Amino acid sequence: MSLLFVIAGLLAIAGALGLVLATQPVHQVLATVLNFIGLAVLYLSLQAELLAVVQIIVYGGAVMVLFLFVIALLSATKELERTEQKGLPVQRIAGFSIGGAMLLMLALVGLVGGLEYDTAFPAVATEFGEVGHFGWALFTTHVFPFEVLAFILMVAVIGVVILVGRQKA
Amino acid sequence: MPAASMNAYVALAAILFSLGGIGVLVRRSPLAMLMSVEIMLNAANLLFITFSRVHGNLDGQVMAFIVITVAAAEVAIGLAIIVLLFRRRQRADVDEIAELKH
């Protein structure tokens, strides 16, 4: 386990913890961006070059800026913070214990599961996951899902415009 | 070569998924819940990319690409719904939005 994995993994975990524990909405967004940056480093270590860049541009950039815009739009009334103040203790305890049990179970399975098999990474060609290689796979073998994605994005845009476009028609 | 063994990547993805799940269960603002769901999707993406590398096959990376795109669309729609919610009532607590239950 190299230093790169430890640092990037701790960055990702710290971001997720920050999201769970922070009370200010803006701090939550920044913690999530930290998580995404750590994950992008891990993608790069797995030879997923295009996805690492897409992760930073689309998630760290576009999606999180969208969240910030909505927070800026809504928190003019200062209501976002007050929502989190009065949490039911029973609910919090139940949430943390159920989530903690899930964490323990999944992490145990991830750590010790499949140890009877060969869990080492096999060697692959150095050009595996390069942008050209990935683009070739995307535009030849998987061109139909790619077209469906374009349709999904169009539906999302139309849906957003229908939902919040005209305020009082 | 990847920076750690396969089990380390799988365990990290499991930890991130569980932390996202805790966020969904514990937080009550819809914005924080949406961000927690994003973290869960990203944990799944990490698994897709890890096993794509293990098998030396790009299908997993294409699947992760699809998940990223669908998540972006989902965030756009989800935030639109949250904005509508805030317009209708001055505060958004997911426990108070129970009209469909009765």
Side-chain angles (χ1 to χ4, degrees):
Chain A
M1 205 184 294
S2 74
L3 193 64
L4 175 77
F5 180 82
V6 174
I7 292 176
L10 282 182
L11 212 63
I13 291 176
L17 269 179
L19 170 63
V20 176
L21 298 177
T23 49
Q24 294 259 356
V26 177
H27 294 172
Q28 291 170 359
V29 171
L30 292 179
T32 314
V33 171
L34 197 70
N35 178 300
F36 290 162
I37 290 173
L39 279 173
V41 173
L42 290 175
Y43 292 174
L44 210 53
S45 79
L46 289 165
Q47 294 184 333
E49 297 171 10
L50 183 77
L51 285 172
V53 177
V54 164
Q55 173 86 2
I56 289 188
I57 293 177
V58 173
Y59 263 127
V63 170
M64 285 300 135
V65 167
L66 202 61
F67 269 103
L68 281 179
F69 270 132
V70 171
I71 288 169
L73 183 73
L74 298 181
S75 64
T77 54
K78 281 271 181 187
E79 285 293 338
L80 278 173
E81 295 155 41
R82 275 218 296 124
T83 308
E84 292 291 345
Q85 300 283 318
K86 52 160 203 78
L88 295 174
V90 182
Q91 205 176 29
R92 307 206 106 200
I93 291 168
F96 271 117
S97 51
I98 292 173
M102 186 164 77
L103 191 152
L104 202 67
M105 192 176 68
L106 283 176
L108 271 180
V109 169
L111 271 181
V112 301
L115 276 188
E116 61 266 36
Y117 304 107
D118 185 18
T119 56
F121 282 96
V124 292
T126 46
E127 76 262 19
F128 174 80
E130 273 180 6
V131 177
H133 198 189
F134 180 80
W136 182 261
L138 190 62
F139 288 120
T140 54
T141 320
H142 303 285
V143 71
F144 181 66
F146 184 74
E147 301 286 341
V148 173
L149 282 183
F151 185 73
I152 289 174
L153 285 179
M154 191 184 69
V155 170
V157 170
I158 294 173
V160 169
V161 169
I162 288 174
L163 278 175
V164 290
R166 278 173 285 148
Q167 232 169 327
K168 289 183 179 65
Chain B
M1 282 308 279
S5 76
M6 195 182 93
N7 276 87
Y9 280 100
V10 175
L12 179 65
I15 290 171
L16 287 179
F17 187 86
S18 314
L19 283 176
I22 290 176
V24 173
L25 288 172
V26 169
R27 302 319 295 262
R28 302 168 75 207
S29 100
L31 278 169
M33 290 174 77
L34 207 55
M35 278 188 268
S36 303
V37 170
E38 292 302 311
I39 288 197
M40 292 170 86
L41 287 172
N42 270 293
N45 264 352
L46 181 60
L47 273 188
F48 269 125
I49 292 172
T50 304
F51 284 105
S52 156
R53 174 65 182 71
V54 169
H55 294 289
N57 190 338
L58 278 175
D59 291 358
Q61 290 195 16
V62 172
M63 190 67 203
F65 187 78
I66 293 171
V67 171
I68 288 177
T69 317
V70 173
E74 171 234 317
V75 164
I77 298 282
L79 285 177
I81 292 173
I82 291 174
V83 168
L84 279 182
L85 215 63
F86 266 89
R87 271 192 201 156
R88 187 165 282 265
R89 50 183 79 205
Q90 276 313 300
R91 45 195 309 262
D93 186 334
V94 287
D95 289 339
E96 292 177 4
I97 307 158
E99 282 89 352
L100 286 178
K101 234 162 90 178
H102 307 296

